[in-house]
Amino acid sequence: MGRRSVGMDELVEHWTVLDDELELVAGKRGATRLGFALLLKHYTQHGRFPRGRAEFPDEVVAFVARQMKVPAAEFDSYQRTGSTIEYHRAQIREHLGFRMRSVQDAEKLTAWLVVDVAHAERNADRVREELLKHCREESIEPPTPDRITRMVRSALHTAEEAWFGRIAARLTAQVRARILALVAADDAEQDQDGAEAGGRESVLSLVKAMPGNVSLELMLREIRNLTTIRAIGLPGSRFADVAPKVLASWWQRAAVESPSHQRPPLRRGPPRPWRPAGHRHPAAAGEVR
């Protein structure tokens, strides 16, 4: 994919070196002057340092080079590793009031995601956007993309487990037993390939199925299903404080997943965490557990 074109409005808005920034550039020459100015403007716009030359379109380099009175080609000579660029990064952080992220910061950011974002938002991209926004508000240099992905996944999983625990605590032991019995009955009516045994559909399968044409048989079936569900005795307020987006994500999963994937495993130890579709277990990938 080719590099995107940058228009003049964007160049002027984001890549104009301001008076106070010129003071930082003063005393620098050639490639060092141009490289520092580009790093500074990139950090000012994105709240992080660039990850490579590809983040600087040619129009941007040329625009900043004209302001620095340095040939644009000099940027290719700017050293992207070593003590000089580390000193430049330190100068830029100090000027903008940012600091490098610590281990404690990462833990606090993940905890913040769990409480303030992931409890009501299940879309990983939106959670990621909120994390980057919060880093800027707190003047913290954001984690690497891989680290952000791990933090977002951890926050989503932790928030969901907290919801599961909270909702389960609202159910009596009798209600939980009835739910598990219903799931067990559904599993028993399906063979190993997932086909319905004996041509008879389970209650859960019927509840998830789309309604057919109106008929007496359909009405009797729906009445039977409704009676079975009501007999479980679920409290009406069980989901009262759950965000609509979270409920929607659970509904979508329940509609496509088999009950055996939703039921707590019959083994000792903590429940097996839910993993998104396509996730490979470490053992299956040949990794050490």
Side-chain angles (χ1 to χ4, degrees):
M1 181 181 295
R3 294 175 179 171
R4 69 181 182 89
S5 177
V6 181
M8 181 55 66
D9 290 344
E10 182 178 348
L11 291 172
V12 172
E13 179 179 1
H14 296 296
W15 297 98
T16 298
V17 181
L18 306 177
D19 291 342
D20 62 326
E21 296 169 337
L22 286 172
E23 296 178 3
L24 291 176
V25 179
K28 297 178 173 60
R29 298 288 182 270
T32 299
R33 180 180 178 87
L34 177 56
F36 182 92
L38 284 165
L39 285 186
L40 174 60
K41 297 309 297 184
H42 186 282
Y43 201 106
T44 301
Q45 180 180 349
H46 299 287
R48 63 170 177 81
F49 290 111
R51 302 185 182 97
R53 173 64 174 83
E55 294 201 46
F56 293 106
D58 293 339
E59 299 92 334
V60 167
V61 176
F63 183 77
V64 176
R66 287 194 295 271
Q67 298 175 73
M68 296 298 101
K69 297 180 173 57
V70 175
E74 289 286 323
F75 185 50
D76 293 332
S77 302
Y78 183 63
Q79 297 297 316
R80 295 174 176 81
T81 60
S83 58
T84 298
I85 193 171
E86 291 303 322
Y87 176 62
H88 288 176
R89 287 172 175 166
Q91 280 187 293
I92 292 170
R93 290 190 190 100
E94 182 179 0
H95 173 72
L96 296 174
F98 276 70
R99 71 177 190 277
M100 295 183 66
R101 183 191 69 263
S102 66
V103 175
Q104 291 75 18
D105 285 328
E107 294 174 350
K108 290 180 180 178
L109 287 171
T110 302
W112 175 82
L113 279 180
V114 172
V115 175
D116 287 58
V117 182
H119 80 290
E121 176 60 72
R122 303 307 302 168
N123 185 290
D125 289 337
R126 294 194 182 96
V127 175
R128 179 181 182 276
E129 292 172 2
E130 290 299 320
L131 173 59
L132 293 175
K133 178 182 176 182
H134 188 65
C135 285
R136 294 208 63 163
E137 292 172 348
E138 296 296 315
S139 298
I140 300 173
E141 196 165 299
T144 63
D146 288 344
R147 177 60 175 159
I148 288 177
T149 297
R150 292 193 295 271
M151 292 172 66
V152 169
R153 287 177 178 172
S154 175
L156 287 171
H157 171 69
T158 302
E160 187 166 57
E161 289 296 304
W163 272 124
F164 290 165
R166 192 178 307 169
I167 293 171
R170 296 169 181 171
L171 307 178
T172 65
Q174 293 81 2
V175 169
R176 291 196 295 269
R178 291 172 194 148
I179 294 174
L180 291 177
L182 187 63
V183 172
D186 188 273
D187 285 341
E189 294 178 7
Q190 297 189 16
D191 59 24
Q192 293 181 349
D193 293 331
E196 299 297 341
R200 183 166 59 89
E201 291 184 296
S202 66
V203 172
L204 287 182
S205 296
L206 291 172
V207 168
K208 293 191 294 184
M210 293 295 292
N213 295 327
V214 177
S215 65
L216 177 61
E217 180 182 354
L218 174 63
M219 292 178 61
L220 294 175
R221 187 182 69 183
E222 293 301 320
I223 291 172
R224 183 174 66 253
N225 292 341
L226 182 60
T227 301
T228 302
I229 297 300
R230 285 180 172 175
I232 295 175
L234 292 170
S237 60
R238 60 195 180 279
F239 297 136
D241 55 347
V242 181
K245 290 183 179 180
V246 176
L247 282 177
S249 71
W250 293 347
W251 184 91
Q252 291 170 357
R253 280 166 47 190
V256 298
E257 287 185 349
S258 64
S260 60
H261 290 144
Q262 302 170 32
R263 182 183 56 194
L266 300 178
R267 60 182 176 85
R268 293 184 179 180
R272 184 184 297 113
W274 173 82
R275 295 183 175 87
H279 175 86
R280 297 183 64 192
H281 191 280
E287 300 172 5
V288 178
R289 295 184 65 181

